[in-house]
Every structure is written in C-alpha cells, then in structure tokens.
C-alpha cells in the first residue's frame, strides 16, 4: 500500500495543476475565516481597519498577482523547454516536478484568488470590524509569503533550465530508485533465479511496465492457490505476445481468469523513475551522449555524468539488502541485472566518447573505482566494461600516445 501511494503521489507531482488547485481552495477558506472571527469575537476591541484601506490593498494584490502568475508560467515553460533541449526530453518529468517552481506558482495563483474573493466580500459588507482586522492580518501574511516565494523562485528559475541542474535532479531520482531496489531487489517477493514452467499470462496492451504490485499478486495467488512467477520488471517493453508472468496451479486451485494477475501490472506509454531503477541511468547516459555529439561537443558534461554514475553505484554497493516486512511466499520475482545497469550507464558513453581522451581516461578511472569497492559480481562487471571501453578507444583515438594512456588506465583494473 505504501508503494502504491508513493507511485500515485509521484504521478500527481508531475501535474502542474495540483498544487495551484490546493492553494486556491486554501485561499478561499482563508477569506471566509475572517467572517468566522466576526461571529466568534463580535466585540474584540481590536483596531478598526477601514474598508477603503483593505480594498486598496486587495486591489493591488489582485492586479499584480495575475500578471506575475502569467509571467511565472511563461518562465517555467521556457526553463522546461531549455532543459529538454539541452539534456533530453526524458528528463522532463523530473524538471517539471520541481517543488520550488510549483509552490511559487501556487502562491501567485492562490494570492490572486484570495484577493478577488476577499475584495468581493468586503465590497458587499460581509465583514465586521473584527473580520476586517483578521482579513488585514491574513492579507499582510499573504503579501509576505508572496515576497519570499518570489525571491526563492527567481533564484530557482535562473538555474532550472541549466544542464547541470537537470543532471543533478536526474541523479537524485536515479539514486533513490536504485537504492530502493537494492533494499528490496525482488520487490518483496521470493527470488526467482531459475527457469520456470507454467501457464503464461498475456495482456492486450503495448507499452512499458511502470509498476508491479506484488501485494496484489500475493493476495490473488493465496485466494486461488497459485504460484506466480513474474516475467517482466518495471521498465520492460511489453507486447501482446510477451508474457507478463507464468502461473503454476496448486492442488486446490480452480480455473480462474488471468485478468486478476494482469491487473497487478501497471502499463503505460512511458517509463517512470520511481519503480524502474534502470531508467534514471539510461536518461543520464542519454544526456552524456547528447553532450558528446559533434554539434554540441561538451565532454565536460559527459565527465560530470560519469562522476554521477560513480556516486550512484558507490551508494548502491554500500546499501544492505532488507528483509521484506511481509513475506510474499507465492510470488517469485527476478532481480534487476547488474550487467544491465552497467550497460545502461556506461555503454553509450564508451561508444560516443571513444574519440575523446578526457572522457576515456575518466571512464577508466571511474570503473577502476567501482571495481575496488564491489563484490565478486561487481568487480567482474566493472572489469568487462573497462575492457569494452578500451576497445572503443583503440578504434577511435588517432594518436598512439593517447591509446597508450587509456591502456595504462585500464591496467589498474587488471592489476587489482
């Protein structure tokens, strides 16, 4: 249930209308709060704020906030377009989920709605003396929140469309996804490490597996006396001819429709970061490939992304696997391949940066660092990718001296 809620909230975080809608509701409630104060404290002895001064203040806010909100939306769209153009369109969900920008937009829209509602109520004599004072206090508070939010947003929007900011955001979500997978590599189910036989379960949908609900599979399997062997993990591209899972029936099982199993697999048109640990690595690698293209020629960004990979895998290697809170003994799930994660991270960089000595040397250094802190599988995977990167460099580098430098860098893994 917790994973389901987190997945749902992550999807809401990618929608720009959610926080502004909440802010509008809160603003309307705040405008009517002053009327409650009138009924509760009719003779409070508070200073009498004139309706004219409140009307002037609310008119200033209503006239300015709409303009600022429109300006904020335009600036955000420009930053999003810049981030997608300089990095990759696959990074757009991460950039659009920026909390500071969404909160700023919510503040501007909410302040506009509050001023309009408060102004209408004030001009129709809705408030008494206590209500006007409370409305004045709320208005001053809203004005202060707007100023602070605007200053924070200006600083953030100046950085939001930059490539370095996009790389940092993608690194953060990729690292969180990989660490979550490291703690529960089989999503809380039993480890599937052998070929299975059973009835295949298909779905009439083409798209990417975004989430596998192991709890729902366990409940369905217990109810119908089944063993469910998951065949695809989040991030896999599924077609009608590819099985989602295989089902082995028990002695007490009855003929049941496979739709209950298919419903546990959420399939969409795009990959997502939260449940798909390899997607963040692919997006970072895609950014590096674009930076290494002849038209852009930015090896420094590729080196920065290689450093990001080292940080991500170092944290992944240091994280301990956790026992699942509830044993799902009827659901078998394969682990994400470590070789596949390294492929997503380093193959494109090794291919597209093969002709750049700075990138090749940093790549060999990064793989040597990962080789030194991993276990047996980690070491062998790092060593194989170092050899592959060396082959790319030998084919692309023109100067024998540069090739020799890369060979010496690769020898550190062989020596280790």
């Amino acid at each position: 249930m917790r994973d389901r809620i987190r997945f749902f909230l992550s999807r809401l975080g990618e929608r720009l209308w959610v926080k502004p809608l909440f802010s509008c509701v809160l603003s309307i409630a705040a405008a009517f709060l002053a009327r409650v104060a009138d009924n509760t404290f009719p003779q409070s002895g508070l200073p009498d704020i004139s309706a004219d001064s409140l009307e002037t203040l609310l008119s200033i806010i209503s006239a300015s906030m709409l303009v600022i909100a429109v300006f904020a939306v335009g600036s955000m769209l420009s930053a999003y377009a810049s981030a997608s153009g300089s990095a990759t369109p696959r990074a757009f969900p991460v950039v659009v989920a920026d909390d500071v920008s969404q909160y700023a937009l919510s503040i501007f829209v909410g302040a506009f709605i509050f001023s309009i509602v408060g102004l209408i109520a004030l001009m129709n004599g809705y408030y008494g003396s206590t209500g006007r004072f409370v409305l004045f206090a709320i208005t001053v508070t809203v004005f202060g929140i707007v100023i602070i939010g605007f200053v924070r947003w200006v600083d953030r929007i100046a950085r939001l469309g930059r490539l370095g900011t996009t790389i940092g955001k993608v690194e953060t979500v990729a690292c969180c996804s990989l660490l979550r997978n490291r703690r529960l590599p089989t999503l809380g189910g039993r480890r599937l490490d052998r070929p299975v036989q059973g009835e295949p379960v298909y779905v009439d949908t083409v798209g990417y597996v975004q989430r596998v609900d192991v709890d729902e599979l366990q409940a369905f399997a217990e109810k119908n006396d089944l063993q469910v062997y998951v065949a695809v993990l989040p991030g896999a591209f599924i077609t009608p001819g590819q099985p989602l899972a295989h089902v082995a029936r028990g002695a007490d099982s009855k003929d049941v429709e496979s739709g209950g199993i298919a419903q546990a697999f959420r399939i969409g048109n795009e990959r997502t970061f939260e449940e798909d640990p390899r997607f963040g690595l692919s997006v970072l690698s895609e950014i590096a490939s674009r930076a290494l293209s002849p038209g852009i020629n930015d090896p420094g960004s590729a080196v920065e992304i290689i450093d990001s990979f080292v940080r991500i895998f170092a944290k992944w290697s240091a994280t301990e696997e956790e026992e699942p809170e509830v044993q799902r003994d009827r659901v078998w799930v394969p682990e994400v391949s470590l070789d596949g994660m390294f492929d997503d991270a380093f193959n494109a960089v090794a291919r597209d940066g093969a002709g750049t000595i700075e990138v090749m040397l940093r790549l060999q250094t990064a793989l040597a660092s990962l080789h030194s802190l991993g276990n047996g599988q980690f070491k062998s995977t790092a060593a194989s990718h170092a050899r592959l990167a060396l082959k790319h460099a030998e084919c692309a580098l023109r100067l024998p001296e540069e090739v020799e430098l890369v060979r010496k860098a690769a020898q550190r893994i062989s020596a280790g």
Side-chain angles (χ1 to χ4, degrees):
M1 179 60 69
R2 183 175 59 186
D3 291 340
R4 187 181 303 174
I5 293 174
R6 186 187 65 245
F7 184 84
F8 177 73
L9 292 178
S10 297
R11 302 285 72 74
L12 283 182
E14 298 171 2
R15 302 292 185 266
L16 284 177
W17 57 266
V18 176
K19 289 185 176 68
L21 177 62
F22 177 78
S23 177
C24 291
V25 174
L26 190 62
S27 300
I28 295 173
F32 285 100
L33 179 63
R35 179 61 179 177
V36 176
D38 263 330
N39 296 330
T40 307
F41 308 103
Q43 303 295 331
S44 60
L46 294 171
D48 188 12
I49 305 297
S50 67
D52 291 339
S53 61
L54 269 175
E55 181 180 344
T56 302
L57 187 58
L58 290 172
S59 298
I60 292 173
I61 294 177
S62 63
S64 58
M65 284 302 101
L66 183 60
V67 176
I68 294 178
V70 173
F71 169 72
V73 172
S75 300
M76 290 167 62
L77 292 177
S78 298
Y80 298 155
S82 175
S84 298
S86 62
T88 171
R90 259 63 62 189
F92 179 78
V94 179
V95 179
V96 80
D98 179 69
D99 287 337
V100 174
S101 297
Q102 290 194 10
Y103 282 132
L105 181 61
S106 302
I107 290 170
F108 301 151
V109 175
F112 173 74
I113 298 298
F114 166 77
S115 62
I116 292 296
V117 174
L119 193 60
I120 293 174
L122 181 67
M123 295 177 66
N124 286 275
Y126 189 66
Y127 301 113
S129 60
T130 303
R132 289 197 301 272
F133 178 82
V134 173
L135 182 65
F136 174 76
I138 296 175
T139 303
V140 172
T141 303
V142 168
F143 189 73
I145 292 174
V146 167
I147 294 299
I148 296 174
F150 182 77
V151 172
R152 290 186 63 207
W153 172 75
V154 168
D155 179 72
R156 178 59 67 94
I157 202 68
R159 310 170 191 271
L160 190 60
R162 295 185 177 181
L163 183 59
T165 302
T166 305
I167 293 173
K169 287 181 174 294
V170 177
E171 178 186 345
T172 299
V173 297
C175 188
C176 290
S177 180
L178 258 75
L179 295 184
R180 190 182 303 119
N181 178 267
R182 176 64 169 172
R183 288 189 289 267
L184 290 176
T186 59
L187 308 179
R190 303 179 70 176
R191 182 172 281 102
L192 177 60
D193 52 7
R194 65 181 188 276
V196 297
Q197 294 181 350
E199 301 177 24
V201 177
Y202 299 99
V203 65
D204 295 330
T205 305
V206 177
Y208 292 98
V209 178
Q210 295 180 339
R211 184 173 182 274
V212 179
D213 194 332
V214 178
D215 290 328
E216 187 173 343
L217 289 175
Q218 174 71 16
F220 187 83
E222 289 178 346
K223 180 180 179 181
N224 298 283
D225 190 23
L226 305 173
Q227 294 287 332
V228 180
Y229 300 92
V230 175
V232 291
L233 292 173
F237 186 74
I238 193 72
T239 60
Q242 182 179 358
L244 293 173
H246 294 84
V247 176
R249 301 183 182 275
D252 299 329
S253 64
K254 302 178 181 179
D255 291 335
V256 294
E257 293 292 334
S258 60
I261 295 177
Q263 289 177 358
F265 293 80
R266 180 184 176 91
I267 300 174
N269 294 330
E270 300 175 347
R271 297 174 71 176
T272 58
F273 288 94
E274 289 76 19
E275 305 289 335
D276 183 0
R278 295 177 58 174
F279 185 44
L281 300 175
S282 298
V283 172
L284 285 172
S285 180
E286 205 172 307
I287 297 173
S289 293
R290 175 170 290 194
L292 291 168
S293 63
I296 297 178
N297 191 23
D298 180 19
S301 294
V303 169
E304 183 179 346
I305 289 173
I306 293 173
D307 296 341
S308 297
F309 289 143
V310 174
R311 287 191 292 269
I312 291 172
F313 282 115
K315 293 178 182 178
W316 186 90
S317 177
T319 303
E320 297 290 336
E321 181 177 338
E322 296 178 359
E323 290 294 330
E325 298 178 1
V326 179
Q327 182 63 37
R328 293 121 174 145
D329 58 345
R330 290 180 174 270
V331 182
W332 302 73
V333 183
E335 291 187 34
V336 176
S337 167
L338 181 63
D339 288 334
M341 289 192 292
F342 268 67
D343 288 342
D344 292 334
F346 297 114
N347 278 3
V349 179
R351 179 194 66 230
D352 297 330
T356 307
I357 183 63
E358 298 88 348
V359 176
M360 286 292 98
L361 290 176
R362 181 58 66 90
L363 181 57
Q364 291 293 341
T365 302
L367 292 170
S369 300
L370 296 176
H371 181 271
S372 65
L373 51 83
N375 54 26
Q377 183 185 6
F378 210 92
K379 289 179 179 293
S380 63
T381 302
S384 65
H385 280 79
R387 290 192 294 269
L388 179 62
L390 176 59
K391 291 180 180 178
H392 279 296
E394 290 174 339
C395 294
L397 291 175
R398 298 180 179 180
L399 297 180
E401 292 83 358
E402 291 183 342
V403 175
E404 187 62 27
L405 286 175
V406 179
R407 285 175 181 164
K408 290 180 179 179
Q411 287 174 359
R412 283 183 290 179
I413 295 182
S414 302

